Amino acid sequence: MHLYLDCFSGISGDMFLGALCDLGLDFELFQKELAKLPCNKEFRVSLGRVQRKGIDAAKFEVKVVEKKHHHHSHHGRHFSEICELIETSGLKESVRHRAIHIFQRMGEAEAKIHGVSLEKIHFHEVGAIDSIVDIVGACIALDLMKIERVSISRLCEGKGFVECEHGQFPVPTPATLEILKNIPFEQTDEPHELVTPTGAALLAELVTHFDRVHHFKIEKVGYGAGTRDLDSRPNVLRAMLVSEAEKNWEMIDVLETNLDDISPEIVAGVKERLLVNGALDVFSMPVLMKKGRLGVLLTVLSEPQKSEVLMDLMLTETSAFGVRKTTAIRKILRREWQALNTEWGDIQVKLGYLGDKLVQCAPEYESCKLVADRANKPVKEIYFLARHLWAKISS
């Protein structure tokens, strides 16, 4: 199952769990799993409904049970204590492993900020019982709902300062900022912390894709409420269970640069280097640039994860001082390969399907060229032979 998060008001552990409850999490079964924690006497969880700027949302809450000997509830725990707490629970191994990994992310962030080892880190706010329940609870909920993929559109954070154990810290707090490395976010004018360290760690651990919602077929929508009312937006996390509407849609990056002071031979060489380094396609065309100069528009199609390498290549191996990047959505055919046997060797044919319908058949040029050389025939003759053979097989 695919979970899509729309974090226009940030994210926290309780918002995440509230949203999953609103999507249909079996709360009774969830509570039974939570009770497997050795510290189960230190807390109670509840689920209610609240309004946030007119939006009805699920409100998940952890209530700490006040007991004399449970001072950890307020003063946090060390990383080793949290690991022991989770490891000695009766939870599934996969749930325990994921929860410990999330705490490790937060611990490593704190350790780097304070310049100490992970073992010496004492979790204050995130080591308190409510944060432990939020994180372990999130892992339990994902397992119960069989959510295998989590993606996010954009992440919004507020501004200002928050009061922490060590004093006032700017938003995003140092720990949150460290955890959010490699996760795109934008800072809004909302004068509050919108992304908590717990929420940031959940995203860093769970999110594998940054997608646009229109790629999906939305099956169910849920809202998890935050604690306070915000000034400019509803303080809710919007979560959706989605399925891919069509598997032949994909996101690509389009990289472009205009060149007016480069040799055509160099452009040809750069194209080859770009393809070797993973470009989906590379092409160029003549353009009329400023001051009437003739130039070349070099365009590269790239998978998003390869764009940085290809842009660096364009900047170092051409005369470009900049490269433009835009995001595009393309629809592609499902592809299959088939070898057609001839007396001179096999010819590879690429087949393109729209759904279950075959709509394209393209003999591969290099394969045709190799057979043509062996047969001492023109490439076009082998190309037409491949089409003829395929027509006979498929009819």
Side-chain angles (χ1 to χ4, degrees), residues 175-189:
T176 298
L177 199 58
E178 187 68 29
I179 295 167
L180 286 178
K181 280 182 176 177
N182 301 318
I183 297 179
F185 73 94
E186 61 181 74
Q187 207 158 4
T188 69
D189 290 329

Side-chain angles (χ1 to χ4, degrees), residues 100-127:
I100 289 173
H101 205 264
I102 293 172
F103 274 107
Q104 185 174 341
R105 281 182 184 274
M106 292 191 290
E108 288 172 348
E110 292 277 2
K112 181 176 180 181
I113 292 164
H114 299 300
V116 298
S117 66
L118 176 62
E119 291 72 24
K120 292 183 179 180
I121 283 295
H122 185 267
F123 290 93
H124 297 291
E125 289 86 356
V126 296

Side-chain angles (χ1 to χ4, degrees), residues 73-92:
S73 298
H74 294 296
H75 300 293
R77 290 169 164 88
H78 284 91
F79 177 65
S80 59
E81 293 178 273
I82 294 173
C83 289
E84 183 180 1
L85 190 72
I86 296 170
E87 285 289 12
T88 55
S89 71
L91 295 167
K92 286 175 62 174

Side-chain angles (χ1 to χ4, degrees), residues 13-79:
D14 60 329
M15 292 169 74
F16 183 78
L17 280 166
L20 291 186
C21 288
D22 210 28
L23 286 173
L25 172 66
D26 185 330
F27 194 64
E28 186 177 338
L29 183 56
F30 170 77
Q31 287 178 294
K32 287 180 180 178
E33 289 296 305
L34 263 182
K36 294 178 180 179
L37 282 171
C39 59
N40 62 72
K41 302 297 184 183
E42 297 182 39
F43 66 88
R44 297 287 183 272
V45 295
S46 63
L47 182 65
R49 308 294 304 183
V50 295
Q51 292 271 324
R52 293 289 182 259
K53 290 202 179 300
I55 292 182
D56 183 65
K59 184 70 179 81
F60 176 84
E61 289 188 275
V62 180
K63 297 177 181 177
V64 177
V65 177
E66 298 289 349
K67 288 190 177 182
K68 289 181 181 179
H69 301 296
H70 289 158
H71 63 281
H72 281 313
S73 298
H74 294 296
H75 300 293
R77 290 169 164 88
H78 284 91
F79 177 65

Side-chain angles (χ1 to χ4, degrees), residues 176-392:
T176 298
L177 199 58
E178 187 68 29
I179 295 167
L180 286 178
K181 280 182 176 177
N182 301 318
I183 297 179
F185 73 94
E186 61 181 74
Q187 207 158 4
T188 69
D189 290 329
E190 191 65 46
H192 300 288
E193 178 187 44
L194 301 183
V195 182
T196 66
T198 300
L202 286 172
L203 292 183
E205 175 69 19
L206 303 175
V207 174
T208 55
H209 293 79
F210 301 93
D211 296 307
R212 293 182 178 178
V213 71
H214 59 253
H215 291 311
F216 310 128
K217 182 173 72 174
I218 300 170
E219 298 181 355
K220 197 168 185 180
V221 181
Y223 293 90
T227 301
R228 64 165 60 92
D229 279 314
L230 301 177
D231 297 336
S232 61
R233 62 191 69 207
N235 188 19
V236 296
L237 172 66
R238 180 160 59 185
M240 294 162 252
L241 294 178
V242 300
S243 58
E244 294 186 19
E246 291 185 75
K247 293 186 178 180
N248 53 352
W249 286 97
E250 67 178 16
M251 301 278 290
I252 60 169
D253 286 340
V254 182
L255 315 176
E256 293 183 327
T257 188
N258 292 3
L259 308 168
D260 65 353
D261 55 352
I262 190 169
S263 165
E265 290 90 345
I266 294 177
V267 174
V270 171
K271 286 182 179 180
E272 292 180 9
R273 289 290 306 277
L274 289 164
L275 289 168
V276 167
N277 281 273
L280 297 171
D281 198 4
V282 183
F283 54 93
S284 60
M285 63 180 71
V287 290
L288 189 62
M289 299 172 61
K290 62 184 180 183
K291 300 181 180 179
R293 296 172 182 167
L294 288 174
V296 173
L297 171 61
L298 178 63
T299 304
V300 179
L301 304 185
S302 169
E303 295 173 343
Q305 65 270 25
K306 295 182 180 177
S307 291
E308 196 68 32
V309 171
L310 297 176
M311 291 173 76
D312 288 349
L313 226 166
M314 294 169 75
L315 290 169
T316 55
E317 301 221 6
T318 73
S319 55
F321 273 73
V323 176
R324 301 180 296 277
K325 181 175 84 168
T326 56
T327 300
I329 305 165
R330 70 173 185 172
K331 188 172 186 176
I332 58 174
L333 299 177
R334 178 172 59 83
R335 302 170 192 193
E336 292 182 1
W337 299 86
Q338 184 161 334
L340 301 178
N341 183 258
T342 74
E343 59 182 295
W344 305 288
D346 289 348
I347 301 172
Q348 294 295 323
V349 177
K350 181 167 61 177
L351 307 175
Y353 292 85
L354 186 60
D356 294 326
K357 183 180 179 182
L358 177 66
V359 295
Q360 297 289 355
C361 170
E364 280 295 287
Y365 174 78
E366 293 298 333
S367 180
C368 290
K369 185 176 182 300
L370 186 62
V371 171
D373 290 342
R374 290 172 181 163
N376 195 26
K377 294 179 180 292
V379 175
K380 69 175 184 179
E381 189 174 325
I382 301 300
Y383 188 88
F384 290 131
L385 171 64
R387 281 192 171 278
H388 175 70
L389 288 173
W390 172 251
K392 285 180 64 177

